[in-house]
Amino acid sequence: MFKLTLVHVGLILFVGCLAIADHVAVGADHREAPALLSNGALDLNDIYLFQSPENPNNVVFILTVNPFAAVNSPTTFDPRAVYEFNIDTNADAIPNIVYQIYFSAPRNGAQRFVVIQSTGGRSISGQTGRVTDIPGGGKVTAGLFDDPFFFDLSGFRNGLNFTGVDAFARANISAVVLELPRSLFPTNIKVFGRTANRGGQVDRTGLPAIATVLIPASTPGLRDQFNRASPSQDVALFRNIVLNSLTSPPLSNSPERAASLADVLLPDVSTIDTSSSAGFLNGRRLQDDVIDAELGLLSNGAVTTDLVNSNDKTFLTTFPYLAAPHVLAP
Ligand SMILES: [Ca+2]
Ligand SMILES: [Ca+2]
Ligand SMILES: [Ca+2]
Ligand SMILES: [Ca+2]
């Protein structure tokens, strides 16, 4: 009972962290920091990283931006920005291979894009809404899709009275889906997504909801500072803040448990053994219930589900795996 009470209080705070404005749902890393609210096209929501279910010799990288596209965000990518998959091949959280994606201005509802590989100078051209085969193996596409994230946000806000209503149902996002041969990389890699414009880095994410849950919104500017930092700086700059969030009331983890959690959660990168088709925390598949997994971690197993167990649309078994966008009422 004691543990459950602490968990309830902790999760109520967690819900408070998620609420920026009453009418706006805030999710994994959707709309979590002030600098992101003015341009959803630079607001990374989630990254996904998994062995291709279509071809086990390939690995799939997905990043999503434009939370609640056409409602709170644009439906196109920012032509003044760069979108990145940063891949660390030697476990120091410093990227060794970067895939940068640049978009043209929209024309007739479509954007041209180019994917540039930092090593070897290889580039791949494509267009939103189309699948492009990559010479040597793999595919790439970008465009508007159903948001693959699912979460009973109202249940959290209502003191854990879950009703299993997905606050992200009928929400669309913009995504880049890049599938590449696993042979391009070591078996074990660490990945984070990044957005930047001429003013510098705007957002970055590896694991779901690190900024949202563990970097306090109550300290002005701290989440923007986190989003503008590099994962290789995370332990030096943010470990004590994360430990404080984990050990302070109401979360109240023991120092030992908080330290072991911090070792899993920082640096904020997604880690995968690409020879394995297992999901989160081995990378992150679209269908993985990361909210349940993270609540289980935070509550030490006392709370295991928000009763939303799957996305509101069925994921595809073939590239690009994401479901088609919802048709929104005008
Ligand atoms: Ca974000
Ligand atoms: Ca590295
Ligand atoms: Ca969805
Ligand atoms: Ca769930």
Side-chain angles (χ1 to χ4, degrees):
M1 281 302 288
F2 177 66
K3 180 192 284 179
L4 194 60
T5 302
L6 281 181
V7 167
H8 270 78
V9 177
L11 291 178
I12 290 162
L13 180 81
F14 174 41
V15 176
C17 292
L18 292 169
I20 286 179
D22 283 340
H23 65 291
V24 176
V26 179
D29 279 293
H30 303 58
R31 299 173 63 78
E32 79 280 9
L36 302 174
L37 297 179
S38 60
N39 190 354
L42 287 165
D43 182 358
L44 280 166
N45 305 329
D46 294 279
I47 67 160
Y48 300 83
L49 173 63
F50 52 92
Q51 187 189 86
S52 167
E54 198 174 32
N55 179 348
N57 292 321
N58 287 352
V59 58
V60 181
F61 306 86
I62 299 177
L63 65 80
T64 68
V65 294
N66 279 334
F68 303 94
V71 179
N72 296 126
S73 298
T75 56
T76 54
F77 296 90
D78 188 336
R80 296 157 301 181
V82 59
Y83 298 83
E84 291 180 355
F85 295 107
N86 288 263
I87 301 166
D88 168 28
T89 60
N90 59 349
D92 59 4
I94 298 171
N96 301 85
I97 305 170
V98 183
Y99 290 88
Q100 295 188 309
I101 303 108
Y102 295 90
F103 290 87
S104 72
R107 190 174 172 188
N108 299 325
Q111 291 177 278
R112 302 286 305 170
F113 65 83
V114 59
V115 183
I116 299 172
Q117 181 184 307
S118 63
T119 53
R122 189 161 77 137
S123 71
I124 306 148
S125 297
Q127 182 175 317
T128 54
R130 292 186 189 170
V131 174
T132 299
D133 289 321
I134 298 173
K139 301 173 186 180
V140 63
T141 194
L144 197 65
F145 295 93
D146 154 71
D147 188 344
F149 182 63
F150 46 93
F151 178 32
D152 180 3
L153 182 65
S154 298
F156 275 107
R157 286 178 172 167
N158 195 23
L160 293 185
N161 291 306
F162 297 119
T163 57
V165 174
D166 176 10
F168 296 81
R170 302 194 56 74
N172 292 332
I173 46 78
S174 297
V176 178
V177 185
L178 177 64
E179 177 163 334
L180 291 168
R182 294 200 287 114
S183 59
L184 291 173
F185 315 103
T187 305
N188 292 285
I189 54 175
K190 297 176 184 294
V191 178
F192 64 96
R194 197 178 90 100
T195 57
N197 59 17
R198 291 194 183 102
Q201 180 171 316
V202 176
D203 201 3
R204 52 95 177 207
T205 188
L207 292 167
I210 298 301
T212 302
V213 177
L214 295 172
I215 304 299
S218 55
T219 305
L222 193 58
R223 283 197 187 159
D224 286 327
Q225 186 191 338
F226 182 85
N227 285 337
R228 289 175 185 139
S230 298
S232 60
Q233 301 172 288
D234 280 349
V235 171
L237 295 180
F238 301 106
R239 183 180 166 90
N240 284 342
I241 292 163
V242 166
L243 285 175
N244 193 51
S245 296
L246 289 167
T247 55
S248 296
L251 287 180
S252 302
N253 283 281
S254 70
E256 295 75 19
R257 181 170 167 76
S260 58
L261 284 171
D263 288 341
V264 173
L265 300 173
L266 295 179
D268 181 13
V269 292
S270 181
T271 300
I272 187 171
D273 171 350
T274 63
S275 69
S276 168
S277 61
F280 191 72
L281 288 159
N282 186 59
R284 177 183 181 182
R285 300 171 302 179
L286 293 169
Q287 71 270 31
D288 290 338
D289 195 335
V290 296
I291 287 290
D292 284 12
E294 288 198 341
L295 289 179
L297 276 175
L298 278 177
S299 72
N300 209 359
V303 174
T304 57
T305 183
D306 65 345
L307 299 178
V308 183
N309 302 320
S310 60
N311 188 37
D312 59 332
K313 279 199 168 192
T314 304
F315 296 121
L316 310 185
T317 56
T318 56
F319 191 93
Y321 313 108
L322 294 164
H326 301 270
V327 177
L328 301 178

